[in-house]
């Protein structure tokens, strides 16, 4: 690793010979495999951009020239080339972020790790610099073919075409995949471009043959070369980009550093907007990754670097519970269809897709389109289930509000990775959804407390035909089922105070008044039970309930509040997201009890494990019990 260790910044790359560059690429690839296999992370995507990233930093002068990585999960090589060599803390608390981070380096810009944003960022930066007179600084956006399926990317391209003199370079990292294989018209278009080398071969052959003919050969070749645009329209369809006024270079072998450098240098010197089309292979150079047809090791846990096999066996996940229930529902109801935004495997829809291939829609990275399309599917008489990460609902809120809720369409949204996800950083925590959903008129929201409740909630959600419904659950392994001791209407009572004079045994004690009613929402139900144990040890009488359907606030939950001196709401969303509606419903019923909200503070959460993050923000049983003990009278 001597050569890689000698690279403390991009300037160190400039003097390397091509032989040294090839050796460096091999070192980096070996280091990524050995280090990421110990920490987990986005391995396959970064193995695919080793040579491309080296070429970028040899041609451009970061940070004076700005290099933007769309989504950001392909930034590992960039980190190494900008002096960040210790990956032992990757994706850990106080360690190296799994995405670009401005706190780590001046070479990093976009931190949000949500796809399809880089072209808008790039146009804004380049335009701003033009206004400031800094026209000698280049802006480079590296965007994958998957991210190009997102609507924002096309909105930006449309606008970029009006500013074609800007020193702006768009590098398409085309590996035919986003998380898994890329689908849609854009994917088909790029597939045609990948096969366009026959045009260059034709032109090269014609030049050799015609130059053998004295006198007329050169003139005939010049005429042929002048027909370049027409020939390309026939043999290669990149005319779409050129019709937008964008200079197109490619396709280029993204694993050939010399070819990439040549193309990028041409783009650098062109004096306007240039699109460089690089063909790469996800997982390149690592056989276990390239042999994995599912996702080419897009994101891995700890693995054996020799075999690629996981070192830790994960338990049954919340996603597994949903996945199996969707297949069962699909067998029972032919009107059930499913949609996702390039996340077929991670949200658990792959089994449904295999069983019902005509009833699945992977729309690409286009959450807005997915939700509005679902409204249309609902109108046609089907019941669509839209599955995305909770953090990505942010991108489709208007469509949920105006296309689904306003039109009373029966659309179910399943939000995976709700609450604190931890290691994927601040933009992947699914902490905003409850606050947003609480503003949507007529919406139904379920937060299952365990795996059995996931299946139950999904089954109930698809019965709702006149309003949107949402089922949300966290990332990771699901615990043992939490049984209810009794049911009050739609509310499950999980714990009762023992009858007067009895031991603490959790037996039902009817609707006797209690000091505290704890409402544990979703995965926080287990925490609510722990809080109850701690307060009961202090002599408090505590009842714990799970409303199951958290919106709209049920009359049954409000009725239980009548029998409590205080209410505490524990949720894994931004604090007050559901505590607010619950508090208002209690007040509207004329019940004069105080409501104590506990949730995630309205701030961006630094990387760490889920346990570390929850401890840091005080969303633990110990911290909440201490807080409540001081407030209860």
């Amino acid at each position: 690793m001597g050569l890689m260790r000698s690279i403390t910044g991009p300037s160190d790359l400039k003097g390397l010979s091509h032989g040294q560059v090839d050796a460096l690429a091999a070192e980096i690839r070996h280091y990524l495999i050995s280090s990421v296999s110990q920490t987990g992370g986005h391995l396959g995507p970064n193995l695919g951009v080793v040579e491309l990233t080296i070429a970028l930093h040899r041609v451009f002068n970061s940070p004076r020239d700005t290099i933007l990585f769309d989504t950001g999960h392909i930034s590992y090589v960039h980190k190494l080339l900008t002096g960040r060599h210790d990956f032992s803390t990757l994706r850990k608390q106080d360690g190296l972020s799994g995405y670009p981070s401005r706190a780590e380096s001046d070479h990093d810009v976009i931190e949000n790790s949500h796809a399809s944003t880089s072209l808008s960022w790039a146009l804004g930066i380049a335009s701003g610099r033009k206004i400031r007179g800094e026209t000698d600084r280049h802006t480079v956006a590296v965007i994958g073919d998957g991210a190009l399926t997102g609507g924002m990317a096309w909105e930006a391209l449309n606008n970029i075409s009006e500013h074609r003199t800007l020193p702006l370079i768009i590098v398409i990292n085309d590996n035919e995949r986003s998380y898994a294989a890329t689908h849609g018209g854009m994917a088909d278009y790029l597939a045609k471009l990948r096969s366009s080398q026959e045009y260059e071969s034709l032109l090269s052959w014609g030049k050799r043959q015609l130059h053998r003919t004295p006198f007329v050969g050169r003139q005939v070749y010049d005429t042929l070369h002048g027909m370049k645009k027409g020939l390309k329209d026939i043999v290669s369809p990149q005319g779409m980009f050129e019709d937008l006024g964008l200079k197109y270079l490619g396709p280029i072998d993204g694993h050939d550093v010399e070819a990439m450098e040549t193309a990028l240098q041409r783009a650098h010197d062109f004096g306007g907007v240039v699109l460089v089309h690089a063909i790469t292979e996800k997982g390149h150079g690592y056989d276990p990754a390239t042999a994995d047809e599912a996702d080419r090791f897009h994101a891995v846990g700890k693995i054996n670097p020799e075999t690629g096999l996981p070192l830790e066996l994960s338990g049954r996940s919340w996603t597994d519970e949903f996945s199996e229930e969707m297949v069962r529902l699909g067998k029972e109801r032919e009107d059930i269809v499913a949609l996702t935004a390039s996340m077929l495997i991670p949200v658990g829809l792959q089994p449904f897709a295999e069983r019902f291939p005509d009833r699945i829609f992977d729309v690409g990275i286009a959450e807005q389109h997915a939700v509005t399309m679902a409204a249309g599917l609902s109108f046609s008489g089907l019941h669509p289930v839209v599955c995305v990460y909770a953090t990505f609902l942010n991108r489709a809120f208007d469509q949920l509000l105006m296309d689904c809720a306003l039109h009373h369409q029966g659309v179910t949204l399943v939000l995976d990775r709700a609450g604190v996800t931890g290691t994927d950083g601040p933009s992947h925590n699914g902490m905003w959804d409850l606050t947003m959903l609480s503003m949507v008129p007529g919406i139904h929201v379920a937060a299952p407390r365990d795996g059995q409740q996931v299946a139950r909630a999904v089954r109930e959600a698809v019965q709702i035909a006149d309003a949107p419904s949402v089922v949300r659950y966290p990332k990771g392994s699901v615990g043992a089922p939490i049984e209810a001791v009794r049911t009050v209407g739609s509310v499950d009572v999980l714990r009762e105070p023992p009858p007067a004079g009895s031991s603490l045994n959790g037996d039902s004690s009817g609707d006797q008044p209690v000091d505290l009613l704890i409402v544990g929402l979703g995965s926080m139900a287990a925490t609510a039970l722990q809080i109850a144990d701690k307060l009961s040890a202090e002599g408090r009488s505590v009842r714990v309930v799970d409303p199951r359907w958290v919106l709209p606030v049920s009359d049954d939950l409000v009725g239980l509040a009548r029998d409590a001196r205080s209410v505490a709401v524990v949720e894994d969303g931004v604090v007050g997201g559901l505590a607010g509606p619950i508090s208002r419903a209690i007040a509207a019923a004329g019940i004069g009890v105080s409501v104590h909200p506990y949730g995630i503070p309205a701030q961006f959460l630094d990387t760490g494990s889920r346990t570390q993050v929850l401890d840091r923000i005080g969303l633990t049983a110990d911290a909440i019990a201490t807080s409540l003990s001081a407030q209860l009278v």
Side-chain angles (χ1 to χ4, degrees):
M1 295 297 159
L3 189 55
M4 190 189 80
R5 295 294 182 189
S6 70
I7 305 299
T8 60
S11 60
D12 294 330
L13 294 167
K14 309 292 186 180
L16 297 182
S17 66
H18 285 296
Q20 289 175 311
V21 167
D22 291 339
L24 175 63
E27 280 190 24
I28 290 174
R29 191 164 273 113
H30 180 268
Y31 181 76
L32 288 175
I33 294 169
S34 63
S35 62
V36 177
S37 65
Q38 298 177 48
T39 62
H42 290 96
L43 181 57
N46 285 284
L47 293 174
V49 296
V50 174
E51 291 82 6
L52 187 156
T53 309
I54 292 173
L56 280 170
H57 279 298
R58 277 168 64 85
V59 172
F60 296 96
N61 297 305
S62 177
R64 178 167 179 76
D65 293 329
T66 299
I67 300 176
L68 309 169
F69 293 92
D70 203 289
T71 312
H73 62 266
I74 59 167
S75 63
Y76 292 8
V77 183
H78 166 77
K79 288 175 183 279
L80 291 171
L81 297 179
T82 51
R84 288 165 277 179
H85 296 157
D86 183 7
F87 271 38
S88 64
T89 63
L90 181 69
R91 301 169 73 244
K92 296 180 180 179
Q93 183 167 276
D94 301 322
L96 205 63
S97 171
Y99 298 95
S101 168
R102 293 182 181 183
E104 287 180 10
S105 175
D106 291 339
H107 297 276
D108 292 2
V109 178
I110 305 175
E111 299 183 353
N112 67 29
S113 69
H114 283 197
S116 310
T117 65
S118 64
L119 301 188
S120 299
W121 270 97
L123 178 57
I125 292 170
S127 298
R129 286 176 175 166
K130 179 181 179 181
I131 292 171
R132 291 171 57 87
E134 300 175 353
T135 55
D136 60 336
R137 302 178 67 180
H138 283 78
T139 305
V140 184
V142 184
I143 183 169
D145 55 303
L148 270 178
T149 63
M152 267 192 73
W154 287 97
E155 292 170 21
L157 279 172
N158 179 62
N159 203 205
I160 287 170
S161 68
E162 299 179 358
H163 302 274
R164 58 191 70 170
T165 61
L166 290 173
L168 194 164
I169 315 300
I170 301 168
V171 179
I172 298 180
N173 172 40
D174 181 3
N175 60 20
E176 305 180 60
R177 289 171 172 266
S178 50
Y179 190 100
T182 307
H183 299 283
M186 185 62 203
D188 293 341
Y189 181 82
L190 291 176
K192 293 177 182 178
L193 289 178
R194 290 183 207 112
S195 64
S196 68
Q197 296 292 354
E198 49 205 3
Y199 163 75
E200 299 298 340
S201 299
L202 172 65
L203 195 61
S204 178
W205 174 85
K207 180 177 181 179
R208 291 195 306 272
Q209 297 301 316
L210 291 171
H211 278 187
R212 293 177 183 175
T213 305
F215 305 115
V216 298
R218 180 70 207 182
Q219 286 81 359
V220 173
Y221 172 75
D222 288 343
T223 301
L224 174 62
H225 194 68
M227 295 168 59
K228 178 178 181 179
K229 177 66 166 62
L231 283 171
K232 281 194 173 182
D233 283 345
I234 297 170
V235 184
S236 168
Q238 64 254 44
M240 181 183 71
F241 293 120
E242 294 184 351
D243 287 345
L244 284 172
L246 307 180
K247 175 69 175 176
Y248 173 91
L249 299 178
I252 299 150
D253 182 355
H255 301 296
D256 184 333
V257 177
E258 289 189 56
M260 281 304 309
E261 283 187 42
T262 299
L264 291 171
Q265 190 63 56
R266 287 177 61 193
H268 176 281
D269 298 340
F270 179 69
V273 178
V274 182
L275 190 148
V276 180
H277 183 186
I279 309 298
T280 63
E281 179 185 41
K282 195 172 184 178
H284 186 76
Y286 185 38
D287 290 343
T290 55
D292 179 24
E293 283 301 317
D295 67 5
R296 303 284 174 87
F297 281 26
H298 178 87
V300 297
K302 295 180 180 180
I303 61 173
N304 182 322
E306 300 297 326
T307 64
L309 297 176
L311 295 177
E312 300 173 342
L313 296 178
S314 58
R316 185 171 180 79
S317 70
W318 297 81
T319 308
D320 293 334
E321 301 287 350
F322 161 72
S323 182
E324 291 184 2
E325 185 63 19
M326 270 298 289
V327 173
R328 284 192 289 268
L329 286 169
K331 292 177 182 177
E332 297 171 17
R333 289 180 49 176
E334 294 184 355
D335 65 322
I336 297 284
V337 295
L339 302 90
T340 189
S342 283
M343 302 298 281
L344 195 70
I345 297 171
V347 298
L349 281 179
Q350 184 69 33
F352 184 91
E354 292 170 354
R355 181 68 176 80
F356 310 106
D358 295 333
R359 290 155 57 186
I360 187 80
F361 301 92
D362 186 344
V363 302
I365 302 176
E367 292 85 359
Q368 293 171 295
H369 163 58
V371 173
T372 299
M373 180 181 174
L377 288 165
S378 171
F379 179 77
S380 75
L382 302 176
H383 192 102
V385 179
V386 182
C387 307
V388 295
Y389 285 3
T391 183
F392 298 137
L393 175 65
N394 307 358
R395 309 178 67 149
F397 176 73
D398 183 68
Q399 289 69 33
L400 172 62
L401 182 68
M402 294 299 176
D403 293 312
C404 296
L406 176 64
H407 293 87
H408 301 282
Q409 296 300 152
V411 172
T412 296
L413 282 86
V414 173
L415 306 183
D416 204 322
R417 273 69 163 176
V420 172
T421 58
T423 55
D424 281 328
S427 66
H428 267 50
N429 289 311
M431 55 189 277
W432 317 102
D433 59 305
L434 292 176
T435 300
M436 294 189 299
L437 294 171
S438 68
M439 297 185 288
V440 179
I443 198 164
H444 300 256
V445 180
R449 65 179 180 266
D450 58 35
Q452 290 182 357
Q453 295 299 320
V454 169
R456 181 182 176 189
V458 172
R459 182 166 291 270
E460 292 173 355
V462 298
Q463 297 295 326
I464 300 171
D466 59 353
S469 57
V470 177
V471 179
R472 71 183 304 269
Y473 47 79
K475 176 183 180 180
S477 299
V478 66
I482 301 173
E483 301 295 339
V485 298
R486 67 185 180 109
T487 299
V488 178
S490 61
V491 177
D492 283 349
V493 179
L494 306 182
R495 187 189 192 284
E496 289 281 19
S502 70
S503 61
L504 181 66
N505 56 20
D507 291 337
S508 172
S509 57
D511 292 327
Q512 70 180 54
V514 293
D515 295 325
L516 178 68
L517 174 71
I518 303 180
V519 183
L521 301 177
S523 64
M524 301 309 292
T527 301
L529 289 170
Q530 295 170 2
I531 297 167
D533 288 341
K534 295 179 182 299
L535 293 176
S536 295
E538 299 177 2
R540 312 278 188 179
S541 59
V542 183
R543 177 175 291 129
V544 179
V545 299
D546 169 17
R548 296 189 57 252
W549 285 92
V550 297
L551 286 176
V553 177
S554 72
D555 292 338
D556 303 311
L557 180 61
V558 173
L560 285 164
R562 292 184 185 277
D563 299 316
R565 295 184 180 90
S566 294
V567 175
V569 179
V570 186
E571 57 186 304
D572 59 350
V574 172
V575 64
L578 287 178
I582 291 172
S583 179
R584 290 190 291 273
I586 291 173
I591 303 172
V593 300
S594 57
V595 177
H596 306 277
Y598 294 92
I600 300 172
Q603 63 189 49
F604 296 110
L605 305 178
D606 291 335
T607 300
S609 69
R610 185 175 188 273
T611 299
Q612 288 172 327
V613 173
L614 291 175
D615 183 65
R616 192 192 310 149
I617 63 177
L619 198 56
T620 63
D622 284 341
I624 296 172
T626 299
S627 171
L628 284 170
S629 183
Q631 297 181 72
L632 296 178
V633 293

